Each structure stands twice: as structure tokens, then as C-alpha cells.
Amino acid sequence: MDRVRVTAKEQVAEDVVALRLEHPRGLRLPDWTPGSHVDLVLPNGMTRQYSLCGDRWDAHAYRVAVLREPRGRGGSAFVHDELAEGAEIAIGGPRNHFRLVPAAEHLFIAGGIGITPILPMLAAAERLGARWRLLYGGRRRASMAFLDELDDERVRVAPQDEVGLLDLPAAEEGCAVYCCGPAPLIDAAGRAYGDRLRTERFAAKPVAASEDRPFTVQLARSGGSVTVEPGTSLLDAVRAAGASLLSSCGQGICGTCETDVLDGEPDHRDSLLDDVERERGDRLFPCVSRARSDRLVLDL
């Protein structure tokens, strides 16, 4: 896990601050791709994930933007109120579950702070010479971050207090569609674009309920094993058995706790894997997932 220093903190919209993060000794930071996020391990003990929204070709700095969440769990409030320039924190990642895919045309749809993973995607599409459009909605202009970086005729800015709810545009066959924002926006995009849609969520999508039954987990690297009882998460169980595993969202949406499955059948309950990835059964997210088989062997 790397450590970084907060070298700049800037208010970029109502209730949104941007952080510039650099290595304390000026070293290169790990490379990343558009759509990636990092985990910030905050001094108050919380771990939170934020999308990288800066210049991916700047090898010595990351930029993240943090929305204050009044009904959140306290991570964003700490960043806004307590995390100051000069502070050093640990980071995990980068990791990417929201990748830019090859396509003749890209349609990007962002709601509020959902603009953050989209920004480096726009730069990548431009560099590749691909056709692209962006629809960017928010409550009002003052709450929409980075508008000054989006002065382009291909960008439609749609504040709700001016135009109402977003009217999703048509997308021709072969157009890849990306959406990041609140769940109602993502759900509407799913109905509009079907399997052409790639998403990043801030909250878990509903999953079909399945029975919580006890199962055994073998930790392949440490050699231990533990029984996971109903009402106990797989993450808590393996941690109690001595496994060191970073976690952030606790909802199966960030990918921080991703773990390889060496044997057994996972019961996937995350919002990240697609049907093909679930069928492979070679990884799971223990903050929410369990087992369909009586035994799982994990690479822990």
C-alpha cells in the first residue's frame, strides 16, 4: 500500500472538494486507466474509494473529488472538515471496474459527482480520435464540479433546476454507453440502452435474495479455515480467522475486497461482475458474497 501527501485541496463546486495527491518523496505513483478509483485510508480509520479524475499521464499526482454526503457514514465529512493540505494518508489501488472499451462512438452520461470517472474517459476518447458525446446533469450549476473543463460543443450540461430530469439521448448500434451517478439515473439508462451500457454505482443494485446458510472457507495461503455462519459476513469471518483484507464500501460496489476463488461455487451478491464473470466463479467480493457450495477455497 502506497502513502501519499495531500498537496492541494480546492473547492470545485458546492459541497465538492478536489484533492491533489503526490508521493511524499516525489516518486512516481502507480499507473492507472480511465475509470479507475483508489481507496483512501483516512486518519480516522475509515477507508473510502474515489474515482481518479485527473491527468492519467501525470505520473506524479492523482486527483480525486469528494462530495460531502450529509447522510453518509462520515468519510466525506472528514475529508471536507479535517483532512488538510500536508496530511499523509495511505492509498489502495488503483483498480478499475469501469473500463473504456473500443467503439466507434462513445456516449457518456454523468449525474452529479458521477462526472469524476468520466473526465479521464473523455480525454482518452479524444486522444484515440473516437466520436464522443457527454450528457452531464446535476441539481444546479453551482453543484456541478469541473464545468470549466467541459467547454466543448459535444457536452450538454443539464441542471435539473433549469431543464428538469435528464432526457436520455438515442444511441446508434455500435455506440458504447457509460453512466455514473445516482441509482435512478443508472436504472433509466439500463432501460434505454440495455447491454450496451457500462456503469459505476454509488449504491448497490438490488440482488435476488438467497438463503444464508453456513459454509466453510479454507484460506489457501495461511492454511487456516473458518465456518461462516448465517448473519456473519464472509469478510468478517476471514478477518477473524487472521486474513488481512482491505475493504471500503461494504456493499459490493467498489471492488476493494476482491478475492480470488480457488475452489467452490460463490454466491455472488455484488454490483460489479457481469453474467459471464459470475459464471467463471474465479473471484468474489466477501463484503457481500457468500457460497453456494459447502466449501470455498480462497487465495488468502
Side-chain angles (χ1 to χ4, degrees):
M1 188 176 297
D2 292 290
R3 291 193 68 80
V4 293
R5 177 178 292 131
V6 180
T7 58
K9 181 177 180 180
E10 177 188 7
Q11 194 85 28
V12 292
E14 287 181 355
D15 294 325
V16 181
V17 294
L19 306 178
R20 180 179 172 88
L21 308 172
E22 301 180 37
H23 193 282
R25 299 196 305 277
L27 303 180
R28 286 179 63 100
L29 295 173
D31 292 338
W32 56 282
T33 53
S36 294
H37 65 264
V38 291
D39 305 297
L40 302 191
V41 184
L42 300 173
N44 64 354
M46 295 180 175
T47 300
R48 296 292 182 266
Q49 72 280 352
Y50 299 106
S51 296
L52 290 171
C53 59
D55 179 3
R56 66 169 296 223
W57 300 108
D58 183 349
H60 294 87
Y62 291 158
R63 183 178 70 171
V64 299
V66 180
L67 170 68
R68 181 190 290 274
E69 296 280 5
R71 292 179 295 277
R73 295 174 290 163
S76 66
F78 183 89
V79 171
H80 276 253
D81 299 335
E82 305 292 337
L83 192 65
E85 290 184 17
E88 289 190 16
I89 57 176
I91 60 169
R95 56 182 58 85
N96 195 342
H97 298 283
F98 188 41
R99 297 184 181 276
L100 190 72
V101 299
E105 183 179 4
H106 303 277
L107 171 60
F108 301 102
I109 302 168
I113 198 64
I115 191 61
T116 51
I118 300 294
L119 288 175
M121 289 183 166
L122 299 179
E126 186 72 11
R127 181 179 289 268
L128 292 170
R131 299 194 307 276
W132 62 267
R133 294 174 288 157
L134 167 65
L135 173 61
Y136 179 18
R139 298 187 308 277
R140 54 189 176 275
R141 288 182 186 270
S143 69
M144 298 170 70
F146 305 117
L147 286 178
D148 59 331
E149 299 181 18
L150 296 169
D151 184 16
D152 191 289
E153 62 182 8
R154 293 166 292 184
V155 177
R156 179 187 165 210
V157 176
Q160 187 174 346
D161 64 345
E162 297 178 20
V163 301
L165 295 177
L166 290 182
D167 182 16
L168 298 180
E172 297 180 359
E173 197 67 31
C175 177
V177 186
Y178 309 80
C179 183
C180 185
L185 174 61
I186 291 178
D187 292 342
R191 293 189 294 270
Y193 307 113
D195 59 9
R196 287 181 291 168
L197 180 68
R198 303 176 69 85
T199 66
E200 178 141 281
R201 291 178 175 267
F202 300 142
K205 63 184 178 183
V207 296
S210 54
E211 180 186 2
D212 277 4
R213 46 191 292 278
F215 60 97
T216 300
V217 174
Q218 181 179 338
L219 309 179
R221 276 187 275 147
S222 68
S225 66
V226 62
T227 298
V228 185
E229 300 288 353
T232 299
S233 75
L234 173 53
L235 178 65
D236 288 342
V238 298
R239 281 177 167 173
S244 178
L245 189 58
L246 189 66
S247 175
S248 178
C249 71
Q251 304 178 68
I253 59 174
C254 74
T256 300
C257 64
E258 181 175 338
T259 303
D260 289 339
V261 178
L262 304 180
D263 194 23
E265 183 183 1
D267 179 6
H268 297 291
R269 303 183 182 186
D270 61 90
S271 301
L272 290 164
L273 300 179
D274 60 29
D275 291 342
V276 173
E277 292 168 327
R278 289 170 185 260
E279 185 66 26
R280 283 204 302 265
D282 59 355
R283 53 190 168 131
L284 55 65
F285 302 93
C287 64
V288 293
S289 297
R290 299 183 68 81
R292 296 189 182 278
S293 55
D294 294 332
R295 174 176 170 271
L296 283 179
V297 180
L298 301 181
D299 186 22
L300 291 172

